[in-house]
Amino acid sequence: MENTTMVNEFLLLGLTYIQELQPVIFMFFLIIYLINLFGNGAILVVVISEPRLHSPMYFFLENLSCLDICYSSVTLPKLMSNLLSTRKAISFLGCITQLHFFHFLGCTEAILLAIMGFDRFVAICYPLQYTVIMNRQLCILLAAVAWLTSFFYALMHSIMTACLNFCHFQKLKYFFCDVKPLLELACGDIQLNQWLVFIVTCSLAMAACFLTILSYLYIISFLLFKIRSFSVLHKALSTCASHFMVVSLFYGTVGLAYISPTSASSVIQERFAAIIHTTITPVLNPIIYTLRNKEVMLALRKVLVRAYLPKDGQW
């Protein structure tokens, strides 16, 4: 019989043992986190305050920005505090909570990107019926389905992981709590958990990815064969390009992070991809959408002018 014990906490040993590097890494992640908060926060303020942006596309962008703020907040604050601490511990409840929200928000983003692809498909291929099809009720319903489906998906993982017995080794060779590194510490039968990770997680990710890519492939084929106006073609492709960059970045890092490692170098690759996925991707989303989107840039300027312009002639 394997040696099991009641685990009260885990030690996160994911990034580096070199003490001199830890303050430098802390400052890097702090800057990234602040850029994420200000960038995505600015998009939220702009979309909410500018009536011209009250459309389905920007409703989903608003959801994505809110999600990216929460997504980084699941892992980065704890990671930064551990970089300044000699004992890099996280409680058992804190670990399961972090795992739950990481998968909840990650799955929501995957489904949300598929919905945004569908929104662009309807807007470009059926412009006359766009406002009828993508009405406010449908947009709210699609967003609710994304959030609720992801919540229960993450709840499955968190409950199944919390029910495991853990060996006396409590050192988690990762920088946050995730299913795969926790399964490595578990004792007893973990086949059901592995099956859930492989079948359910992969099925959800692949289905969302397939629907997203299908939407953009259909859009590209429609634009190339049916649109004769160069200006309309350029505007549509430019909008789709920014969306597709976000999709590629999201699924590229997910793929690298969740491919089973076969060597020490692939383990390093997995951790590097996980860092990019949890820290860099949420920062790049607002940059990609704002720099390539004239409507958002114009609305941002209006918000800044209203914020800093003197009122009633008073400075």
Side-chain angles (χ1 to χ4, degrees), residues 35-53:
I35 294 172
N36 176 21
L37 292 180
F38 285 117
N40 285 295
I43 288 181
L44 283 172
V45 170
V46 167
V47 172
I48 292 169
S49 62
E50 180 55 51
R52 287 182 60 190
L53 300 184

Side-chain angles (χ1 to χ4, degrees), residues 79-97:
L79 172 59
M80 290 188 292
S81 68
N82 281 347
L83 285 168
L84 299 180
S85 173
T86 54
R87 193 166 184 273
K88 309 175 191 308
I90 184 171
S91 67
F92 180 81
L93 180 60
C95 186
I96 298 300
T97 303

